[in-house]
Amino acid sequence: MIVDVEIRLATLADAANIAAMSRDYIEHGLPWGWRSERIARAINDPETNVAVVGPQGALVAFGIMSYSEDNAHLLLFAVRRANQRRGVGSALLEWLEAVARAAGAQRICVEARADNSAARNFYCVNGYHERRLKKARYSGIVDGVYLEKWLRSVPGSALKG
């Protein structure tokens, strides 16, 4: 079920809340790398979209997607626990995928912690396929799983978006 949520581009005023969500939902148990300054750089980067759900100061979800040539890379994605399994994440992911298609991306790549079965299941349900495991991917501590989703056909292949 995809719900009707208001998705907007983040502003610099959202950077601290996004950073805190990254620390608490994605980077727990790891050195905190996505601090406010790094989030602010992503917000200001013309090759990156930082999309959020919720008003400034009370974010429900966020996603950070960067673009390069034919690929998009979902760098960070989180939904507050109270809003998980309600369609908010699927709506935000669908929005980010639509932007990637419009930007000409053929595929989206994302990485998830190997120990985060909820995230891995979420991506798989939304059409992403696990491609490989990278031992000690995160800070030499936690294994990572690389996933991808093809949005468009690749010339000479049978892959369809």
Side-chain angles (χ1 to χ4, degrees), residues 22-24 26-32 113 115 138-139 141-142:
S22 178
R23 179 196 61 220
D24 297 343
I26 301 167
E27 299 178 84
H28 56 88
L30 300 171
W32 187 19
R113 292 168 65 130
D115 62 359
Y138 298 103
S139 302
I141 301 169
V142 177

Side-chain angles (χ1 to χ4, degrees), residues 17 20 31-32 38 41 48 53 75 78 97 103 106 115 146-147 156:
N17 288 325
W32 187 19
R38 189 171 179 190
R41 283 194 304 273
T48 303
V53 175
L75 300 169
E97 289 174 353
Q106 288 187 354
D115 62 359
Y146 290 84
L147 300 100

Side-chain angles (χ1 to χ4, degrees), residues 13-115:
D14 295 310
N17 288 325
I18 294 169
M21 281 184 71
S22 178
R23 179 196 61 220
D24 297 343
Y25 287 86
I26 301 167
E27 299 178 84
H28 56 88
L30 300 171
W32 187 19
W34 284 90
R35 296 176 182 265
S36 296
E37 300 79 19
R38 189 171 179 190
I39 300 293
R41 283 194 304 273
I43 291 169
N44 286 326
D45 182 356
E47 302 297 320
T48 303
N49 277 333
V50 181
V52 295
V53 175
Q56 197 276 318
L59 295 183
V60 170
F62 76 89
I64 302 177
M65 179 93 76
S66 68
Y67 306 90
S68 63
E69 297 183 22
D70 294 336
N71 294 313
H73 188 173
L74 185 55
L75 300 169
L76 288 178
F77 189 89
V79 178
R80 289 204 185 276
R81 281 183 187 84
N83 298 93
Q84 291 175 0
R85 304 196 61 79
R86 295 184 176 183
V88 173
S90 294
L92 180 56
L93 186 60
E94 184 178 274
W95 188 93
L96 288 164
E97 289 174 353
V99 172
R101 280 186 190 89
Q106 288 187 354
R107 73 175 174 157
I108 298 174
C109 301
V110 63
E111 300 158 19
R113 292 168 65 130
D115 62 359

